[in-house]
Amino acid sequence: MNDKKLIAEKIYTALDGELSLDDILNLLEKPKNSDMGDIAFPAFTLAKTRHMAPQAIASDLAEKIDTDGLEKVVATGPYVNFFLDKNSVSTKVVDQVVGEKEHYGDQNIGHGAKVTIDMSSPNIAKPFSIGHLRSTVIGDALANIYQKIGYTPVRINHLGDWGKQFGMLIVAYKKYGNEEAVRENPIDELLKLYVRINEEAETNPEIDEEARAWFRKLEDGDEEALSLWKWFRDESLEEFNRLYNKMDVDFDSYNGEAFYNDKMDAVVQILEDKGLLEESQGATIVNLDDEGLNPALIKKSDGATLYITRDIAAAKYRKDNYDFAKSLYVVGGEQSGHFKQLKAVLKKMGYDWADDIEHVSFGLVTRDGKKLSTRKGNIIRLEPTMDEAIERALAQINAKNPDLPNKERVAHQVGVGAIKFYDLKNERTNGYDFNLEEMLSFEGETGPYVQYTYARIQSILRKADYKAQSDVEIDFNDSDSWEIVKLLQDFPNVIKRAADKYEPSVISKYVINLAQAFNKYYAHVRILEENEGLQARLALADSTATVIKESLRLLGVEAPEEM
């Protein structure tokens, strides 16, 4: 039984059923100051029904509570504050972490059910930018988190490999393209062509019409259009996969928009059979007035399909093939209207599983406060940015620890980890300004700070020639170690909260707090001092390292053994 439940049951007994156990659990708080106890129960709710001052109720309740298994129970104003038996709790928690190692915090909530995660999804023939980083790392972290609580994640890279932009690119290639230049440096050349044609289209409306015409040819299976499209796609995928390998991210499916070309007629037919289609200004729509939404545009006046048609086909395909318990779409917040429409149309089609679809939105990455745009050529490309981060990390290692073994490997772990961690420490609905120097700092709330804390603990354990033991009796009398124990005890709850909120930053913030708590402990306690408490201190350090490493793994960040 966890401590909160133990305390809730003691309160329930003392109140003789006046509040339900669930109500009591929901009311329990963490005191602002650890000197005031470990868990607090506010008496305000009881004051409403008893018509008494909450201070008087708290005082009365504190006297009635059974203190067995607790250090003490005291009334402080309108709160009943509970002090846990530190040594008993510490012994139990540390023993559990040491025994379970990386499996500490595992939960079987999902019972193996599948969670599909639509993530990354870059556009073909465009460079992989920092903007795509968010979807990739948030999606990957959520996959790890859901696996930790017993689900089977399915990572889907829904490539942007179809649409009018390919018509635009074909027009650009035929007007200005050079085959040799594209083959030599595909993404750079294709980006130049794309930016140039968009600039021209701003003053020449004919470009737009030409692009539409070429996309129609592509949809109709025109040989030249398909050949160019496949070439652009193959070259892009090669670059993307090199980047994914650098980031240590992989996928279960690369089925992009083009994959659903032969599946959309069936979707349109279902919509027609269910009487959901209407004509509007020559286009075919599903009216969503009753949902307070704009109409879902299924087919344009020229018969071309749209994103939502493909997304309906994709959602149905994923349900049919994976029978998902949840289907997550890790896509920018600006697409929220689209996903509301998608769910509404699927519900009208009679698919109750539409309720299991979740748009996991996120904010924008900016540079110097300005929005990034591929179309205008204002982007931060991910690969050179990662390379620079790795180089900077290596320079720091050479300055501080030049004899470090495998320093190139460690520099990669630190450089790539710094970029990922910085993204994931921000609540996903918030944007952030990209600052590589800040990301790579070994001080503050950064990935390198957390990684260095882990490496520091490993160094301590190596010096002590530490061998894990079970049932180590903990007899701590310092507040710093108790703060660590409470954080370790909370780890399973943190994982569950992160999953429930689709919010990896819950884990990032947690592991920063844990690293800070350990460093405070390290500054105040001589861990390697030869006395009877040595094994207990080493076990606490080992437990902390285990949970730091597992937290970083859930975020897709590696933990170097030495730095």
Side-chain angles (χ1 to χ4, degrees), residues 383-401:
E383 186 166 32
T385 304
M386 282 202 300
D387 289 343
E388 185 183 345
I390 293 165
E391 283 169 22
R392 288 191 185 198
L394 185 58
Q396 291 196 57
I397 291 166
N398 282 329
K400 294 176 181 175
N401 191 3

Side-chain angles (χ1 to χ4, degrees), residues 125-258:
K126 294 181 188 174
F128 199 109
S129 75
I130 288 296
H132 299 112
L133 175 77
R134 298 223 70 188
S135 175
T136 308
V137 298
I138 293 169
D140 189 50
L142 288 175
N144 294 332
I145 291 163
Y146 270 89
Q147 190 165 33
K148 183 81 173 168
I149 62 168
Y151 288 91
T152 303
V154 181
R155 295 170 172 86
I156 298 171
N157 197 335
H158 186 75
L159 294 166
D161 60 359
W162 206 247
K164 196 197 91 178
Q165 73 266 26
F166 285 96
M168 194 72 97
L169 199 55
I170 291 169
V171 171
Y173 178 73
K174 290 186 73 66
K175 276 176 81 90
Y176 323 114
N178 177 298
E179 182 179 347
E180 193 178 320
V182 173
R183 290 198 182 280
E184 194 173 312
N185 203 347
I187 298 298
D188 280 350
E189 284 301 315
L190 292 172
L191 175 63
K192 283 179 196 169
L193 292 172
Y194 187 72
V195 171
R196 184 173 175 183
I197 201 71
N198 274 284
E199 284 173 353
E200 190 175 330
E202 286 179 12
T203 56
N204 183 357
E206 287 178 17
I207 296 287
D208 216 45
E209 275 310 308
E210 282 184 63
R212 289 179 198 280
W214 270 106
F215 180 54
R216 277 197 297 275
K217 284 185 180 183
L218 193 55
E219 287 203 301
D220 294 340
D222 176 84
E223 194 175 321
E224 184 184 9
L226 277 173
S227 173
L228 286 169
W229 169 81
K230 187 176 184 307
W231 177 35
F232 298 156
R233 188 182 192 276
D234 290 348
E235 295 287 359
S236 300
L237 267 179
E238 197 172 317
E239 170 155 313
F240 293 159
N241 282 323
R242 191 175 66 251
L243 275 167
Y244 290 133
N245 285 337
K246 268 190 179 179
M247 287 193 283
D248 196 24
V249 174
D250 54 20
F251 297 91
D252 301 291
S253 165
Y254 282 90
N255 290 337
E257 292 176 47

Side-chain angles (χ1 to χ4, degrees), residues 43-63:
F44 303 109
T45 302
L46 292 169
K48 291 174 190 171
T49 53
R50 291 189 182 184
H51 306 293
M52 288 172 62
Q55 290 88 337
I57 296 170
S59 180
D60 177 57
L61 187 55
E63 288 180 15

Side-chain angles (χ1 to χ4, degrees), residues 330-398:
V330 187
V331 181
E334 66 275 11
Q335 294 293 323
S336 63
H338 170 81
F339 287 104
K340 284 175 185 170
Q341 287 181 322
L342 174 64
K343 289 183 72 164
V345 173
L346 289 167
K347 286 285 280 186
K348 282 181 179 289
M349 292 171 81
Y351 300 135
D352 289 342
W353 47 262
D355 290 333
D356 302 321
I357 287 175
E358 195 72 41
H359 175 209
V360 180
S361 66
F362 54 83
L364 292 170
V365 181
T366 54
R367 176 167 54 185
D368 301 326
K370 293 175 184 169
K371 188 176 173 180
L372 306 171
S373 166
T374 308
R375 188 172 296 177
K376 294 178 180 175
N378 172 33
I379 58 170
I380 304 172
R381 294 185 62 168
L382 185 59
E383 186 166 32
T385 304
M386 282 202 300
D387 289 343
E388 185 183 345
I390 293 165
E391 283 169 22
R392 288 191 185 198
L394 185 58
Q396 291 196 57
I397 291 166
N398 282 329

Side-chain angles (χ1 to χ4, degrees), residues 33-90:
N33 188 326
S34 58
D35 292 342
M36 297 173 70
D38 303 303
I39 296 171
F41 174 77
F44 303 109
T45 302
L46 292 169
K48 291 174 190 171
T49 53
R50 291 189 182 184
H51 306 293
M52 288 172 62
Q55 290 88 337
I57 296 170
S59 180
D60 177 57
L61 187 55
E63 288 180 15
K64 291 181 178 176
I65 286 172
D66 168 23
T67 58
D68 186 40
L70 299 170
E71 190 179 293
K72 59 181 174 178
V73 178
V74 297
T76 309
Y79 289 89
V80 181
N81 290 334
F82 295 80
F83 292 76
L84 299 172
D85 183 333
K86 293 179 175 56
N87 291 339
S88 169
V89 172
S90 298

Side-chain angles (χ1 to χ4, degrees), residues 476-519:
F476 294 137
N477 56 14
D478 63 284
S479 59
D480 293 335
S481 62
W482 181 232
E483 285 305 310
I484 294 172
V485 169
K486 286 193 289 184
L487 283 165
L488 295 177
Q489 186 181 35
D490 199 32
F491 185 51
N493 300 325
V494 167
I495 297 164
K496 177 72 166 51
R497 281 201 302 277
D500 289 346
K501 294 180 174 182
Y502 312 110
E503 186 59 88
S505 72
V506 169
I507 290 175
S508 309
K509 290 180 170 72
Y510 165 83
V511 77
I512 288 166
N513 289 338
L514 181 58
Q516 288 171 339
F518 181 83
N519 285 322

